[in-house]
Amino acid sequence: MTTDIQHHVNQLYPTLVQWRRDFHKHAETGWLEFRTASLVAQRLASWGYLVQAGREVIDEHARMGVPTQEVLTREEQRALEQGADPNWLPYFSGGLTGVVGILDTGRPGPTIGFRFDMDALDLHESADESHLPAALGFRSINENMMHACGHDAHTTIGLGVAHTLAQIKDRLSGRIKLIFQPAEEGVRGAKAMVAVGVVDDLQLFFASHVGVNHPLGEVVCGANGYLATTKLNVSYTGAAAHAGGSPEEGKNALLAAATAALNLHGIARHSAGSSRINVGVLQAGSGRNIVPASAQLKLETRGETSEINQYVLDRALRIIRGAAAMYDVTETIEIVGEAQTCNSSPALFPFVRAQAAQVEGIHSIVELAQAGGSEDATTMMARVQQNGGLASYVYFGTTLAAGHHKETFDIDEKVLGIAVKTLSLCALHAAQLERQDGQAATD
């Protein structure tokens, strides 16, 4: 069966490349993945999957950082013009751009889930001829939307796994859920899928990422150390006045924002582990002779644990509100993203290693890596583990043209086949991880 999977994926590889380049060319940012989600749903349905979409897998009220209705309407129309499936597109109206494909084998076994993110970044892709997507004609055609982190590859890998498993359904056991998640960037999307119970029936769960500073042919069985994080938008509203003639009538929102920014960076670090805070955006004012009536901050907190992040967040909120009180302005605080920390289940490391060891093209298998930054999938991982299941975050190394989140980012597409083969084998052999009583082993 391993040979059958390898042969099938080798045959499928040119199609994987085609899918990946198509998604790259039509990059869509968080909650705007209308075209991507519709094509994913259409293909899953055509291969015999039970497809759940839109409100079935997204809690509308648990979403964070959702674009305005004007943007949602405009981008849905844009997606239709760019080839979105018209039959599936209505499921995703309003930015409910999640898809889950379920393959029920009808035979006893665990329920195993795989998460694949679909969204692009708010980034203008390089048009330089040295940039391969530009040279070969699959550079993003959508302004300020670019797959600069590899989510186009992740969506493709998910479809590749789906296609492969559909061919060997009679050899599988249990249920397989392929979770195509919107809005990972800014850690905005997983919470809305967890809120409706998408992962509550899983005994095994895998999330994965290409690249992440690992070379082509290297697989990492688990990643730990993702930082818990909260993303905030803050608006201060004061009162304008003539800066020379009647400054006492003004309420200076710029000074409130500046005071907040400086003091936020002065929050004491926590002795129990790493903590971070960053004000990335401060915008204020309208003219040199006008007391600024409005100001906006965009900031984030992070912590080695969810408790440390909460410590930083609590103090940040006090500073934000205190700065408003100092300058007699009002503040509005919006949480536009959040994720907790979660470590991979050690019990899965030898299992992933055993699958990767069978895949041609893999020359190095690393048991565990320490992650940097934050990751939305930790919210799903934590829920699975809380329910007694196992979860791991797997890296598939690939050569990069430039680092993640850069305008010349690109991957070596050979990683597509490597990842599809490895994850398909994980699905095929998942029953090996069950106990005698049919429950998934826990760590």
Side-chain angles (χ1 to χ4, degrees):
M1 180 51 62
T2 297
T3 301
D4 292 343
I5 288 176
Q6 306 245 35
H7 177 72
H8 175 78
V9 178
N10 288 341
Q11 295 294 111
L12 186 64
Y13 179 72
T15 302
L16 295 176
V17 171
Q18 179 185 352
W19 287 340
R20 181 256 163 173
R21 295 184 181 185
D22 177 67
F23 291 136
H24 190 95
K25 184 174 182 177
H26 300 92
E28 299 173 300
T29 50
W31 304 122
L32 303 176
E33 306 94 332
F34 297 109
R35 181 183 186 274
T36 304
S38 74
L39 295 180
V40 166
Q42 185 275 325
R43 287 168 184 160
L44 291 174
S46 73
W47 300 331
Y49 285 77
L50 170 64
V51 177
Q52 298 175 332
R55 283 185 171 80
E56 294 178 290
V57 296
I58 296 286
D59 183 333
E60 181 175 5
H61 303 294
R63 295 178 301 166
M64 297 175 289
V66 182
T68 65
Q69 186 57 53
E70 178 184 1
V71 172
L72 291 168
T73 301
R74 182 190 71 215
E75 294 302 317
E76 183 175 349
Q77 179 61 34
R78 182 268 313 154
L80 185 62
E81 294 168 358
Q82 292 180 355
D85 187 293
N87 296 315
W88 283 100
L89 191 57
Y91 286 84
F92 309 115
S93 288
L96 302 170
T97 47
V99 184
V100 174
I102 301 173
L103 188 66
D104 192 337
T105 69
R107 287 176 287 278
T111 299
I112 178 172
F114 298 90
R115 193 291 305 259
F116 308 99
D117 40 18
M118 301 185 290
D119 58 320
L121 283 152
D122 298 313
L123 184 65
H124 183 72
E125 184 164 7
S126 173
D128 193 285
E129 291 185 0
S130 64
H131 181 50
L132 190 65
L136 297 184
F138 64 95
R139 172 181 174 270
S140 176
I141 62 174
N142 293 326
E143 185 70 21
N144 205 39
M145 296 184 184
M146 178 192 174
H147 276 296
C149 197
H151 298 188
D152 51 343
H154 300 166
T155 304
T156 299
I157 290 165
L159 288 176
V161 171
H163 193 279
T164 301
L165 297 182
Q167 310 308 307
I168 61 169
K169 181 180 178 181
D170 60 342
R171 307 285 187 91
L172 301 172
S173 59
R175 296 169 75 243
I176 295 98
K177 297 184 75 172
L178 304 179
I179 303 165
F180 292 84
Q181 182 206 313
E184 190 283 325
E185 299 294 352
V187 289
R188 296 176 288 159
K191 179 181 177 181
M193 300 193 88
V194 169
V196 294
V198 165
V199 301
D200 284 352
D201 58 344
L202 302 183
Q203 286 86 54
L204 303 170
F205 176 80
F206 296 94
S208 56
H209 208 296
V210 299
V212 202
N213 300 316
H214 292 274
L216 181 68
E218 183 166 278
V219 171
V220 179
C221 302
N224 286 352
Y226 281 113
L227 300 176
T229 185
T230 305
K231 319 294 186 184
L232 303 101
N233 288 347
V234 178
S235 296
Y236 288 111
T237 303
H242 193 293
S246 54
E248 74 282 2
E249 296 177 4
K251 296 181 179 181
N252 199 314
L254 183 154
L255 291 181
T259 298
L262 289 172
N263 284 277
L264 286 166
H265 281 273
I267 293 174
R269 297 303 179 249
H270 202 290
S271 63
S274 297
S275 59
R276 307 275 193 276
I277 189 162
N278 187 62
V279 179
V281 174
L282 192 166
Q283 298 171 329
S286 57
R288 72 177 71 251
N289 62 345
I290 303 170
V291 175
S294 63
Q296 294 80 40
L297 297 174
K298 294 183 179 182
L299 65 139
E300 64 175 19
T301 65
R302 299 187 196 243
E304 187 172 328
T305 66
S306 298
E307 292 74 21
I308 293 173
N309 181 65
Q310 190 64 47
Y311 157 83
V312 180
L313 177 61
D314 289 343
R315 280 149 184 79
L317 293 174
R318 283 204 290 269
I319 289 170
I320 291 165
R321 291 166 180 148
M326 287 176 65
Y327 290 92
D328 194 22
V329 301
T330 59
E331 83 283 350
T332 302
I333 302 169
E334 181 185 9
I335 295 178
V336 295
E338 62 183 10
Q340 56 190 300
T341 187
C342 183
N343 288 331
S344 296
S345 302
L348 285 179
F349 300 164
F351 174 74
V352 177
R353 175 183 288 275
Q355 313 318 312
Q358 303 176 65
V359 175
E360 56 190 7
I362 294 178
H363 58 72
S364 174
I365 303 175
V366 177
E367 183 170 275
L368 181 65
Q370 289 300 309
S374 304
E375 165 57 54
D376 210 15
T378 54
T379 299
M380 294 183 176
M381 293 171 63
R383 177 62 68 90
V384 171
Q385 291 174 343
Q386 289 163 6
N387 290 338
L390 302 175
S392 192
Y393 200 103
V394 181
Y395 291 156
F396 294 103
T398 187
T399 306
L400 301 179
H404 294 273
H405 294 213
K406 295 186 178 181
E407 66 276 4
T408 54
F409 177 89
D410 195 26
I411 65 168
D412 187 325
E413 292 167 328
K414 296 185 186 71
V415 71
L416 301 174
I418 288 173
V420 171
K421 292 172 185 177
T422 304
L423 296 178
S424 296
L425 287 171
C426 287
L428 174 64
H429 297 134
Q432 296 176 359
L433 286 164
E434 284 197 302
R435 295 188 188 277
Q436 292 296 321
D437 60 3
Q439 297 298 314
T442 61
D443 55 346

